[in-house]
Amino acid sequence: MDPHLLRTFVAVAREGSFSAAAQELGYTQSAVSQQIAALEADLGVPLLTRRPVAPTEAGTRLLEHAGPLLLRLAAVRTELTRLAAAPSARLAIGLTPLAATDRLAAALARLRADLPQLLVTLETLPTARALAGLATGELDLVLLDGIAAPTDPLHLPEADQTPGSVLMVAEEPLLLALPDGHPLAGRRESGLPELVDARWIDAPEAAVPLAALRAAAHTDGFRPHLRYQGTDPHALTALIAAGHGLAILPRRAVDPRLTGVPIGRPRLLHRTELRLPHPGTPAGRRLVELLSD
């Protein structure tokens, strides 16, 4: 299967239009039509209806596989390019909003002392975008966070598409973040099952996502009272302190203005992992050594 034809198919299916896909890809509309026809001839099934433009059943199945296939191809290209490239004087790090740790900051300080000419950039990104940047070479390594049982790795399906090494950077307790005076503030600990019907702030990029809590507690509860789409911990703290709802955070992220009650049932931790592609840059490998020290 020609990856160029596959990319064209994905663009047409996403845009719902041959002309819009042609404009996005820089092709003529007739060239796009010819590429779709060639892909359908290669696979022996129609992939798109024409009026309206929409995936057929076979096209829908192909779309399910197209993203991971294209990402793996990009990862292979990036790995081969890195093998041939001269050592880079930059280190681009992607990290999910709750993945920054004191351990990372200390290791970066030692790395910059070893390599004073190194330009380090850090960018906060959602998990999927961070892993895509790792596969395409825009990022040299990523730090991802999530909740897991003690000693378990993070379960991130999208991460399976990006081969490389994984390093556990930090594990810490999870706390229920409450405003002062909340009825639960005096407890020594609280269990997820008894919090199912609480007033929650859904802040998937700034706190533990409610979807993760539902999965951990095996329930369809944890419904949001308010949604916060940002990544600013100060804004989330202000919302909690003002009584708009509760959130679960790693211990270090609970602002002193709030009360933090440990989560005791089920036993879960906040985990931060570093992912580095093979072979990785010299600076990236050195950072892993410092974090492992």
Side-chain angles (χ1 to χ4, degrees), residues 100-246:
T101 66
D102 292 342
R103 186 177 171 193
L104 172 64
L108 282 173
R110 293 176 62 189
L111 179 68
R112 291 175 63 83
D114 292 344
L115 304 170
Q117 302 303 316
L118 183 69
L119 173 63
V120 178
T121 62
L122 296 98
E123 185 176 5
T124 301
L125 296 165
T127 299
R129 286 182 56 195
L131 289 168
L134 190 67
T136 59
E138 296 174 31
L139 300 172
D140 298 307
L141 56 87
V142 297
L143 281 95
L144 311 174
D145 77 279
I147 61 173
T151 73
D152 278 2
L154 293 179
H155 298 291
L156 301 170
E158 57 266 65
D160 295 337
Q161 307 302 325
T162 308
S165 56
V166 178
L167 173 70
M168 194 280 287
V169 175
E171 284 186 337
E172 59 184 314
L174 290 167
L175 302 183
L176 175 65
L178 305 163
D180 287 342
H182 191 279
L184 298 176
R187 295 194 176 189
R188 295 182 60 184
E189 70 173 30
S190 188
L192 287 184
E194 60 199 79
L195 299 172
V196 168
D197 297 321
R199 288 160 58 96
W200 290 98
I201 297 175
D202 189 15
E205 300 299 334
V208 175
L210 296 189
L213 299 182
R214 286 192 285 270
H218 306 289
T219 176
D220 60 356
F222 297 99
R223 296 302 171 187
H225 175 71
L226 180 147
R227 286 190 171 91
Y228 173 62
Q229 301 294 339
T231 61
D232 183 359
H234 302 292
L236 178 60
T237 293
L239 291 170
I240 298 171
H244 290 287
L246 315 180

Side-chain angles (χ1 to χ4, degrees), residues 53-124:
V53 175
T56 63
E57 182 178 358
T60 299
R61 293 298 301 275
L62 180 58
L63 279 174
E64 294 172 358
H65 295 284
L69 284 171
L70 292 173
L71 190 60
R72 290 299 297 271
L73 287 170
V76 170
R77 180 182 294 276
T78 298
E79 182 174 337
L80 296 179
T81 300
R82 283 174 173 150
L83 284 171
S88 174
R90 67 133 206 187
L91 182 65
I93 302 172
L95 62 162
T96 49
L98 293 175
T101 66
D102 292 342
R103 186 177 171 193
L104 172 64
L108 282 173
R110 293 176 62 189
L111 179 68
R112 291 175 63 83
D114 292 344
L115 304 170
Q117 302 303 316
L118 183 69
L119 173 63
V120 178
T121 62
L122 296 98
E123 185 176 5
T124 301

